[in-house]
Amino acid sequence: MMLKHAIKKSLIATSLIAASTVAYAAEVEVLHYWTSGGEAKSVAELKKIMEAKGVTWKDFAVAGGAGENATTALKARVIAGSPPTAAQIKGPAIQEWGQEGVLANIDSAATAGKWDSLLPKSVSSVMKYQGHYVAAPVNVHRVNWLWINPDVLKKAGAKTPTTWDEFFDAAEKIKKAGFVAVAHGGQPWQDATVFETVALGVGGADFYQKALVKLDQTALTSANMVKTFDTLGKIKTYIDKDSAGRDWNLATAMVINGKAGMQFMGDWAKGEFTTAGKQPGKDYLCVAAPGTDKSYTFNIDSIAMFKVKNPDSQKAQLTLATAIMSPEFQEVFNLNKGSIPVRPDIPRGKFDSCATKSMDDFAASSKANTLEPSMAHGMAVSSAAQGAMFDVIAKFMNSNMTSQAAVQALAKAAKTQ
């Protein structure tokens, strides 16, 4: 692994820097990429909780919706021997960092908070490295949502779609009415978000699991995968020409402002609607993407703790982990962010209809075994395989590449280690 090689190479530099670094008592430096409206509001609440506990919050925010920029910044800090106290990382990346020997054990906070009994095993296992907690889960996001502006739908004479045929019928009517049918940002992670949602809708949870989690070559080269790219190619025709490089929240703003009819995006998009003062069911609709009503692709945000030498910093880490899992923070963070609490014991009273549907669907999908980790959001495959697959999907979205060529390229990319 390139990261491991770089870290080993810098061991001497690490010891020199560590020896000369002055750590501040009771301070946490947190690297994260929660920078949009709803997200930033959520982080401010965590900062407030920490400061009330006598811990200074040093913000290390790195913009970029999928966290690529934050990951680059984190690698640079770890290689330089001065990791932040904590960082927003998730899924298989937690295991990758664990293998580098740089993550801190926070079992004492987990034991005191009874995390093992509170968290579903599918969640707790992701937060552990070699049986020990090294990260605290913040929330559960559903990825396979379709966000709709009902006024645009009404003006276009279209109805809320539940199937792909209905979706394209609605998209065509919206386009003919002079609106952008599909709000989208032409960034690799956004392209991959739409792709995996289409794959789930076209082939179902079993196909998704085989193709995008297990990276099974038969599934990756199947007729379902060809159909997935065919469907994605058709969606592409309803995206406006100015989408290249557009941030996801700006695409959401197009739906909020009535410039666009629909957007495929995880439920962090709801945080933008909430910040804009919009009400679900009235100003916007949240529906499962076509064909995915009985399934649930999830993305769990988490904060991993890095090894620090200062005893006060170590105590501050445990305070941070405890604060993240507190009912107080779980409620306020997820109300702002659009996600749902990772704790199942949080009262539902303050959560809106989109959130309660997400809670119900999460529980139902977990029971039906149709709960799937998001490939696009770093929950399913290694960062190397994910990056290679992103490249193929982005190329397909930005060229005249055929579905058959894309399928072969994706299957090859999935072999990347």
Side-chain angles (χ1 to χ4, degrees):
M1 192 187 290
M2 272 176 63
L3 177 57
K4 182 171 277 187
H5 177 70
I7 290 175
K8 281 180 179 175
K9 202 173 172 185
S10 67
L11 280 175
I12 296 171
T14 300
S15 58
L16 289 172
I17 292 168
S20 62
T21 299
V22 178
Y24 292 92
E27 176 186 89
V28 287
E29 182 186 18
V30 184
L31 189 159
H32 65 89
Y33 46 94
W34 289 313
T35 55
S36 73
E39 296 172 331
K41 199 174 173 186
S42 301
V43 173
E45 291 295 338
L46 185 54
K47 179 182 178 182
K48 199 186 296 179
I49 291 170
M50 291 300 288
E51 290 182 343
K53 294 177 185 294
V55 178
T56 302
W57 176 282
K58 188 177 179 184
D59 203 53
F60 187 177
V62 182
E68 299 102 326
N69 298 339
T71 300
T72 301
L74 180 59
K75 285 178 182 177
R77 284 287 298 271
V78 174
I79 289 168
S82 58
T85 322
Q88 183 187 354
I89 57 175
K90 60 190 179 184
I94 293 174
Q95 304 306 309
E96 291 172 18
W97 282 106
Q99 287 162 18
E100 306 301 342
V102 294
L103 296 183
N105 183 321
I106 55 169
D107 280 345
S108 59
T111 302
K114 299 179 180 174
W115 293 8
D116 274 344
S117 59
L118 273 175
L119 300 173
K121 200 166 187 296
S122 59
V123 175
S124 63
S125 60
V126 179
M127 301 302 127
K128 296 177 180 179
Y129 176 67
Q130 294 185 342
H132 298 287
Y133 278 99
V134 292
V138 179
N139 58 0
V140 176
H141 277 298
R142 187 182 197 173
V143 178
N144 59 308
W145 284 116
L146 179 66
W147 303 92
I148 299 172
N149 184 312
D151 284 342
V152 172
L153 215 59
K154 190 177 178 182
K155 287 172 184 173
K159 66 173 186 175
T160 304
T162 58
T163 67
W164 288 112
D165 284 343
E166 289 174 357
F167 172 83
F168 289 118
D169 178 68
E172 186 62 26
K173 285 175 178 172
I174 292 167
K175 188 178 180 179
K176 282 182 177 173
F179 303 96
V180 174
V182 180
H184 182 66
Q187 297 171 336
W189 73 269
Q190 292 191 62
D191 293 340
T193 297
V194 181
F195 165 80
E196 73 170 23
T197 297
V198 172
L200 183 68
V202 165
D206 186 55
F207 165 69
Y208 181 99
Q209 171 72 209
K210 286 175 182 171
L212 301 183
V213 181
K214 293 181 178 174
L215 303 180
D216 175 76
Q217 287 291 308
T218 302
L220 283 164
T221 54
S222 67
N224 267 336
M225 190 55 79
V226 175
K227 192 177 177 185
T228 295
F229 276 107
D230 283 346
T231 306
L232 187 64
K234 195 171 179 182
I235 290 171
K236 194 167 66 167
T237 65
Y238 292 101
I239 296 169
D240 67 294
K241 59 180 175 53
D242 299 320
S243 68
R246 179 188 288 142
D247 286 334
W248 70 270
N249 51 314
L250 298 181
T252 305
M254 291 169 66
V255 180
I256 292 171
N257 299 329
K259 290 179 181 177
M262 304 180 283
Q263 181 190 21
F264 293 98
M265 189 51 61
D267 54 19
W268 47 93
K270 195 186 74 176
E272 299 302 300
F273 285 99
T274 303
T275 301
K278 303 299 182 182
Q279 298 297 318
K282 179 189 170 192
D283 303 310
Y284 67 96
L285 308 176
C286 52
V287 298
T292 72
D293 191 46
K294 304 297 181 188
S295 304
Y296 192 115
T297 41
F298 66 86
N299 171 25
I300 298 172
D301 285 317
S302 52
I303 296 291
M305 309 298 168
F306 282 76
K307 286 181 179 175
V308 289
K309 292 189 175 181
N310 183 279
D312 287 318
S313 296
Q314 291 170 2
K315 285 178 188 173
Q317 280 181 326
L318 297 176
T319 302
L320 176 60
T322 301
I324 288 168
M325 275 293 286
S326 68
E328 175 194 5
F329 177 68
Q330 284 280 317
E331 181 179 82
V332 73
F333 181 94
N334 289 290
L335 284 170
N336 286 330
K337 186 87 157 53
S339 45
I340 61 173
V342 73
R343 294 177 61 131
D345 60 344
I346 305 300
R348 291 185 171 201
K350 294 180 183 176
F351 288 90
D352 62 29
S353 57
C354 293
T356 53
K357 177 170 171 52
S358 186
M359 291 173 188
D360 290 341
D361 289 355
F362 182 79
S365 293
S366 184
K367 199 173 180 180
N369 206 26
T370 57
L371 197 60
E372 299 294 343
S374 169
M375 179 280 292
H377 294 274
M379 298 302 300
V381 300
S382 71
S383 54
Q386 183 200 48
M389 292 166 79
F390 272 24
D391 289 345
V392 174
I393 298 161
K395 185 179 178 182
F396 178 82
M397 291 293 283
N398 293 287
S399 71
N400 293 320
M401 189 180 201
T402 66
S403 295
Q404 286 75 13
V407 164
Q408 294 307 316
L410 190 72
K412 186 179 178 184
K415 294 178 180 178
T416 305
Q417 297 299 323

